[in-house]
């Protein structure tokens, strides 16, 4: 049996490089009324990533928890050959700021077994749920067997959580023959139901990659927006934009009360990456979308990043230090696949041309501009040089391939995607070629449509070499029901000859990686305005090992 353990999140951390800026912003906060002074103090308190002194000293709760505290479900993530991260959060009253848990520290038991009935528990332990972490629990269970399915659950007082199912990655260096994954993104709660995630929960995949916009900062009205509830009235606390730590925490509570989202988390391990809406639309590094000082925006970013970690199955290595968090990381699936999960939001240069669609120019093509930051870019290129995997998969947020909005020579491009950072993209393409990456697969979110794209050595020369494949996974809910063939379909397909598929419905991408080829299925549903729509396969492609490029399956 595994020994009782305490959450590694309470370990010492260095001060954030932005701490001094945060303190300066806090002194000005009362005048600018961006956040409350109390919220600013909280932001500064958690910049060192430790619970407040009183909470550490507080006794564990011994009184009975009178209501089910597992309303937000369970989750697992970032599978390693011998370890999986297990998550839950105690919230008997999920629509209250403290989740109905108060300020006490609570001991939470956890168990891992090979069967869903827990007839033989293999590992068990105890972790503390601290108020400072919104009573979230992150347990890094080690000593597991590679390539194995496990079941897990939690207990708090007399309450038992739902059982979750997870799995470990294959042993390092093992010649694994296949991997099945689902890629999802963009789940604006107010745009419709999470029918897509119900189908993901029912799909026979090994792991789910969530590519950003798990949360949206925008207001959700009492009817749940396009969900148009008639039997539920959501509290007014959601009918405003998220700004404070309490706002972000409550918004995760709202999202995680969705039964389809909980079902997907309980069935599969997730690998998560954020984009912009988990904080604020189209922010770039320290630069906000709205006209406020960056120093004040960092307080909001600190709150958003903190709530994200609290509500996702992430290890202590991803715990934010104030407004900074190392989210990019690398995972492996034997020798079949290496996953380089990027963060294209936290380190990027501000968007060129005021973030308006614009033709390439001196500002957007400045080689000093970056979408990844220099450190992450070098980490990516070094990882490819050392890769022994057959498939090098790059899960990330915004469209990597060129996407012209018109057929004219000076057609506009998106300044928020890699098109607005062409020097950055050029360095990455050159790095992939220099490292000999033959089988490069890019998984992308953000755009609320499904694309299948050949990644070209030179996007302006259709005859240039194809160096990889990119698929965008459309959205879970963002964009409402969508249409199969958007109004600009003909224009985009003509303007971008490397674009092999374009679909505007809601859905996800299912990828099956093998030794000879990867199959890519675009799964879509007819509607999300009402729950229960069936899933269909809109299109299927293969990309063969050693022969980059998409072919119809």
């Amino acid at each position: 049996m595994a020994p009782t353990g305490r959450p590694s999140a309470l370990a010492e951390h260095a001060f954030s490089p932005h701490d001094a800026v945060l303190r300066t912003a806090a002194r000005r906060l009362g005048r600018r009324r961006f956040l409350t002074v109390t919220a600013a103090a909280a932001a500064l308190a958690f910049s060192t990533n430790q619970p407040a002194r009183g909470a550490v000293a507080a006794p564990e709760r011994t009184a009975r928890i009178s209501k089910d505290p597992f309303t937000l479900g369970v989750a697992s993530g970032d599978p390693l050959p011998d370890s999986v991260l297990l998550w839950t959060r105690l919230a008997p009253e999920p629509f209250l700021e403290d989740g109905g848990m108060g300020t006490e520290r609570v001991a939470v038991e956890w168990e891992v077994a090979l069967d869903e009935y827990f007839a033989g528990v293999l590992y068990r332990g105890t972790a503390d749920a601290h108020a400072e972490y919104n009573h979230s629990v992150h347990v890094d269970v080690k000593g597991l067997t590679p390539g194995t399915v496990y079941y897990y659950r939690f207990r708090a007082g007399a309450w038992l959580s739902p059982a979750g199912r997870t799995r470990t990655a294959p042993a390092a260096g093992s010649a694994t023959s296949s991997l099945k994954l689902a890629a999802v993104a963009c789940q604006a709660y107010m745009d419709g139901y999470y029918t897509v995630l119900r189908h993901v929960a029912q799909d026979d995949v090994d792991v789910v990659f969530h590519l950003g916009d798990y949360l949206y900062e925008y207001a959700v009205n009492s009817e749940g927006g396009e969900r148009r509830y008639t039997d539920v009235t959501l509290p007014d606390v959601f009918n405003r934009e998220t700004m404070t730590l309490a706002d972000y925490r409550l918004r995760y509570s709202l999202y995680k009360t969705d039964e389809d989202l909980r079902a997907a988390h309980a069935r599969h391990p997730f690998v998560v990456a954020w984009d912009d809406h988990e904080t604020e639309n189209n922010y770039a590094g320290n630069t906000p979308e709205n006209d406020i000082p960056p120093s004040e925006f960092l307080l909001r970013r600190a709150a958003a990043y903190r709530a994200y970690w609290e509500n996702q199955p992430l290890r202590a290595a991803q715990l934010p230090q104030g407004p900074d968090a190392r989210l990019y990381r690398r995972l492996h699936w034997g020798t079949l696949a290496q996953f380089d999960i990027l963060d294209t939001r936290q380190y990027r240069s501000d968007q060129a041309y005021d973030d308006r669609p614009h033709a390439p120019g001196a500002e957007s093509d400045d080689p000093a501009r970056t979408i990844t930051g220099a450190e992450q870019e070098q980490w990516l290129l070094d990882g490819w040089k050392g890769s022994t995997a057959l498939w090098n998969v790059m899960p990330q947020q915004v469209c990597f391939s060129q996407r012209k909005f018109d057929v004219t020579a000076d057609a506009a491009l998106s300044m928020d995607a890699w098109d607005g950072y062409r020097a950055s993209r050029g360095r990455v393409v050159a790095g992939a070629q220099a490292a000999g990456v033959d089988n490069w697969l890019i998984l992308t979110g953000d755009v609320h449509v499904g694309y299948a794209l050949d990644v070209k050595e030179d996007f302006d020369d259709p005859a240039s070499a194809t160096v990889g494949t990119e698929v965008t996974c459309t959205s879970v809910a963002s964009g409402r029901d969508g249409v199969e063939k958007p109004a600009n379909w003909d224009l985009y397909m003509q303007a971008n000859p490397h674009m092999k598929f374009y679909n505007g419905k809601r859905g996800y991408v299912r990828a099956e990686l093998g030794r000879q080829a990867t199959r890519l299925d675009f799964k879509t549903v007819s509607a999300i305005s009402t729950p229960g729509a069936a899933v269909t396969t809109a299109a299927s492609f293969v990309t063969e090992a050693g022969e980059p490029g998409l072919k119809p399956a």
Side-chain angles (χ1 to χ4, degrees), residues 212-442:
D213 294 345
Y214 187 102
L215 183 83
Y216 277 70
E217 76 275 29
Y218 304 137
V220 181
N221 67 20
S222 61
E223 296 179 345
E226 292 303 309
R227 296 186 177 213
R228 303 187 187 279
Y229 292 141
T230 58
D231 58 340
V232 174
T233 301
L234 297 179
D236 289 341
V237 69
F238 301 120
N239 200 15
R240 62 175 183 251
E241 185 169 344
T242 53
M243 301 292 283
T244 68
L245 179 58
D247 288 339
Y248 286 106
R249 285 171 164 174
L250 281 165
R251 199 60 53 89
Y252 281 107
S253 294
L254 174 63
Y255 277 53
K256 285 179 175 288
T257 54
D258 184 278
E259 62 180 1
D260 293 335
L261 177 57
R262 294 200 310 272
H265 272 301
R267 186 64 181 171
H268 308 300
F270 270 54
V271 177
V272 297
W274 59 37
D275 194 13
D276 52 341
H277 287 290
E278 287 89 351
T279 301
E280 180 192 50
N281 178 58
N282 281 20
Y283 81 92
N286 298 344
T287 305
E289 177 188 34
N290 299 314
D291 187 20
I292 63 169
S295 59
E296 293 183 11
F297 172 68
L298 284 174
L299 288 171
R300 182 179 184 181
R301 201 177 90 172
Y305 284 14
R306 175 59 168 261
Y308 184 84
W309 184 86
E310 290 173 345
N311 285 279
Q312 298 291 7
L314 290 166
R315 288 186 168 85
Q318 280 69 57
L319 178 64
Q321 299 178 49
D324 304 291
R326 170 70 179 266
L327 201 63
Y328 65 88
R329 59 206 189 277
R330 182 169 292 126
L331 299 172
H332 297 87
W333 206 261
T335 60
L336 182 64
Q338 174 174 298
F339 295 96
D340 297 292
I341 301 105
L342 299 191
D343 177 354
T344 61
R345 191 58 60 179
Q346 184 177 183
Y347 312 105
R348 64 162 64 193
S349 307
D350 195 12
Q351 292 92 342
Y353 301 111
D354 295 323
D355 199 16
R356 302 187 310 273
H358 201 282
E363 184 176 343
S364 59
D365 285 350
D366 182 349
R369 288 170 43 75
T370 176
I371 195 170
T372 61
E375 182 178 335
Q376 182 179 192
E377 181 182 294
Q378 192 61 52
W379 168 87
L380 175 64
L381 303 187
D382 289 346
W384 282 339
K385 292 175 185 176
S387 175
T388 59
L390 177 62
W391 296 95
N392 286 278
V393 187
M394 194 174 87
Q396 54 97 51
Q397 294 77 23
V398 294
C399 201
F400 185 86
S401 300
Q402 182 168 282
R403 190 168 46 120
K404 288 186 174 181
F405 296 154
D406 206 339
V407 294
T408 59
D410 60 347
L413 308 172
S414 169
M415 293 297 102
D416 188 57
W418 288 78
D419 276 337
Y421 303 82
R422 299 204 308 171
S424 214
R425 180 171 64 198
R427 291 191 296 269
V428 169
V429 170
Q433 292 177 296
V437 174
D438 294 326
N439 305 304
W440 182 18
L441 175 61
I442 303 171

Side-chain angles (χ1 to χ4, degrees), residues 473-493:
C473 63
T474 190
S475 65
V476 168
S478 306
R480 304 179 184 178
D481 287 339
V483 295
E484 184 175 344
K485 196 171 183 179
N488 57 12
W489 190 92
D490 288 315
L491 181 63
Y492 275 29
M493 295 296 284

Side-chain angles (χ1 to χ4, degrees), residues 72-80 83-89 136-140 152 154 165-166 207-208 210 214 252 256 261 264-266 268-273 307-319 327 329 331:
L72 307 181
V74 299
S76 68
D78 282 16
L80 302 177
S83 173
V84 175
L85 193 287
L86 307 182
W87 173 93
T88 193
R89 196 183 119 210
S136 63
V137 177
H138 297 72
V139 179
D140 192 354
Y152 63 94
F154 299 89
R165 176 181 177 271
T166 190
V207 63
V208 176
H210 199 295
Y214 187 102
Y252 281 107
K256 285 179 175 288
L261 177 57
H265 272 301
H268 308 300
F270 270 54
V271 177
V272 297
Y308 184 84
W309 184 86
E310 290 173 345
N311 285 279
Q312 298 291 7
L314 290 166
R315 288 186 168 85
Q318 280 69 57
L319 178 64
L327 201 63
R329 59 206 189 277
L331 299 172

Side-chain angles (χ1 to χ4, degrees), residues 399-406 413 419 425 451-471 491-502 541 549-551:
C399 201
F400 185 86
S401 300
Q402 182 168 282
R403 190 168 46 120
K404 288 186 174 181
F405 296 154
D406 206 339
L413 308 172
D419 276 337
R425 180 171 64 198
Y451 294 136
L453 302 137
D454 285 343
V455 180
K456 306 297 288 186
E457 183 178 51
D458 180 358
F459 284 104
D460 291 322
D461 179 8
S464 69
T466 297
V467 298
T469 298
E470 180 178 15
V471 291
L491 181 63
Y492 275 29
M493 295 296 284
Q494 183 181 354
N496 302 285
H498 54 283
M499 184 179 289
K500 308 302 180 184
F501 174 75
Y502 176 17
F541 296 88
L550 289 157
K551 301 175 183 177

